[in-house]
């Protein structure tokens, strides 16, 4: 097992592409990931054992990197099988808080969409299937009679606003990972769970700016809509659903040791 070869392959093939880079980076071609996994995936256990036996603090970043790559394999391999997008099941909880006057209580409908499935709250199910390569979007609909309206936020590139509807949409081969990365509040890999927060600036009806400075000084300036997901993927052999342990972070650069 040759760590230097693995590190150079990672830095030349994967680094700089999402999910091995920040949200602004272009998407990694899933086939490129699959080829890297075929070339080096089976070597990771032996490499980790070898590196863990070496003395010196310079090997600590390498140990961390190899652990992150192994977790990336657990996260990414179930999404694409034989170059095709595989299903991920999302058990979803929309965190409506009708007892709080924070703007979220005036959302009358929450929707989560992929090209082939939709769930909504209230009264629209809680389980959605996303496949690798599909888009995914969250819609937040404020009441027509509400004094509040969502307001566009130029700093959130995945957000659009149309009258009473705010929508967050993610696309590309890793769309679900992009949605989680952009809005995560908590990712619990061991429990296959994520808590996401979607911040929506608000305005009063028939105004262009935030509620601040208007007659209704108590109006919230933004709403934090929270959604939680429990993830599951299908096992290769049995087809049974099993927890999908999505990594909270992916490595962005392999340490080079000379």
């Amino acid at each position: 097992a040759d760590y230097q070869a693995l590190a150079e392959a990672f830095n030349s093939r994967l680094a700089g592409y999402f999910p091995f880079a920040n949200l602004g980076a272009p998407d990694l071609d899933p086939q490129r990931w699959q080829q890297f996994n075929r070339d080096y995936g089976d070597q990771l256990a032996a490499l980790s054992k070898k590196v863990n036996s070496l003395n010196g603090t310079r090997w600590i970043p390498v140990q961390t990197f190899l652990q992150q790559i192994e977790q990336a394999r657990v996260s990414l391999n179930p999404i694409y099988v034989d170059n095709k997008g595989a299903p991920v099941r999302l058990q979803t909880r929309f965190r409506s808080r009708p007892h709080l006057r924070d703007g979220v209580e005036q959302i009358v409908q929450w929707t989560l969409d992929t090209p082939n499935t939709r769930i909504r709250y209230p009264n629209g199910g809680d389980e959605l299937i996303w496949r690798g390569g599909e888009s995914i979007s969250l819609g937040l609909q404020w009441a027509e009679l509400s004094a509040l309206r969502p307001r566009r936020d130029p700093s959130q590139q995945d957000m659009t606003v149309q009258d009473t509807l705010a929508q967050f949409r993610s696309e590309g081969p890793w769309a679900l990972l992009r949605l989680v990365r952009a809005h995560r509040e908590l990712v619990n890999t061991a429990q296959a769970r994520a808590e996401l927060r979607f911040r929506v600036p608000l305005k009063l009806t028939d105004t262009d700016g935030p509620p601040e400075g208007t007659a209704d000084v108590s109006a919230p300036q933004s709403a934090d809509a929270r959604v939680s997901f429990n993830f599951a993927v299908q096992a290769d052999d049995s087809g049974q659903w099993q927890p999908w342990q999505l990594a909270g972070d992916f490595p962005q650069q392999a340490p080079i040791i000379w």
Side-chain angles (χ1 to χ4, degrees), residues 51-66:
V51 169
N52 290 341
S53 70
L54 299 174
N55 295 321
T57 57
R58 71 182 187 135
W59 292 104
I60 294 176
V62 176
Q63 294 170 356
T64 300
F65 170 75
L66 291 175

Side-chain angles (χ1 to χ4, degrees), residues 204 207 209-219 221:
L204 293 175
T207 68
E212 183 180 20
T214 65
D216 189 355
V217 295
S218 64
Q221 295 189 35

Side-chain angles (χ1 to χ4, degrees), residues 9-254:
F10 179 91
N11 289 338
S12 62
R13 298 189 206 173
L14 308 185
Y17 296 91
F18 185 87
F20 299 103
N22 296 328
L23 283 166
D27 284 312
L28 178 70
D29 185 333
Q31 292 187 30
R32 185 177 291 190
W33 162 255
Q34 291 179 310
Q35 185 62 55
F36 177 87
N37 183 58
R38 284 192 293 268
D39 291 344
Y40 297 101
D42 292 340
Q43 300 181 28
L44 284 174
L47 277 172
S48 294
K49 183 177 180 179
K50 179 179 178 180
V51 169
N52 290 341
S53 70
L54 299 174
N55 295 321
T57 57
R58 71 182 187 135
W59 292 104
I60 294 176
V62 176
Q63 294 170 356
T64 300
F65 170 75
L66 291 175
Q67 291 169 358
Q68 290 177 324
I69 281 292
E70 184 56 46
Q71 184 58 59
R73 295 180 71 225
V74 173
S75 299
L76 302 183
N77 287 353
I79 302 179
Y80 287 93
V81 178
D82 297 329
N83 296 325
K84 294 181 181 179
V88 177
R89 185 181 69 186
L90 309 180
Q91 291 183 317
T92 306
R93 181 182 176 192
F94 300 104
R95 302 200 170 235
S96 176
R97 301 187 298 275
H99 59 290
L100 297 178
R101 295 183 57 83
D102 59 358
V104 176
E105 89 284 0
Q106 297 189 41
I107 299 174
V108 292
Q109 183 165 269
W110 309 53
T111 58
L112 190 67
D113 289 273
T114 68
N116 298 306
T117 54
R118 160 178 277 202
I119 58 175
R120 63 182 182 275
Y121 175 85
N123 305 320
D126 63 359
E127 190 172 293
L128 177 130
I129 300 296
W130 173 84
R131 288 179 176 272
E134 291 184 340
S135 62
I136 185 168
S137 61
L138 174 77
L140 304 169
Q141 184 88 49
W142 267 258
E144 286 286 347
L145 298 180
S146 171
L148 298 174
R149 291 287 185 271
R151 181 166 55 90
R152 183 175 173 271
D153 181 0
S155 69
Q156 299 192 69
Q157 297 298 313
D158 62 342
M159 177 187 176
T160 59
V161 171
Q162 186 174 4
D163 194 22
T164 60
L165 176 66
Q167 189 174 56
F168 295 85
R169 181 179 177 86
S170 184
E171 298 180 325
W174 315 104
L176 176 58
L177 277 69
R178 281 191 173 275
L179 190 76
V180 171
R181 179 85 65 90
H183 300 285
R184 64 183 177 185
E185 194 165 54
L186 168 71
V187 175
N188 189 319
T189 301
Q191 296 183 11
R193 182 171 63 87
E195 302 276 349
L196 275 58
R197 181 180 69 177
F198 298 84
R199 173 157 289 183
V200 181
L202 298 173
K203 65 180 182 179
L204 293 175
T205 308
D206 300 327
T207 68
D208 294 324
E212 183 180 20
T214 65
D216 189 355
V217 295
S218 64
Q221 295 189 35
S222 65
D224 285 344
R226 287 177 166 84
V227 179
S228 63
F229 294 136
N230 284 91
F231 303 114
V233 292
Q234 288 182 314
D236 291 339
D237 48 357
S238 66
Q240 297 295 312
W241 292 104
Q242 61 185 20
W244 180 42
Q245 297 183 329
L246 174 63
D249 292 292
F250 289 79
Q252 297 195 7
Q253 195 76 18

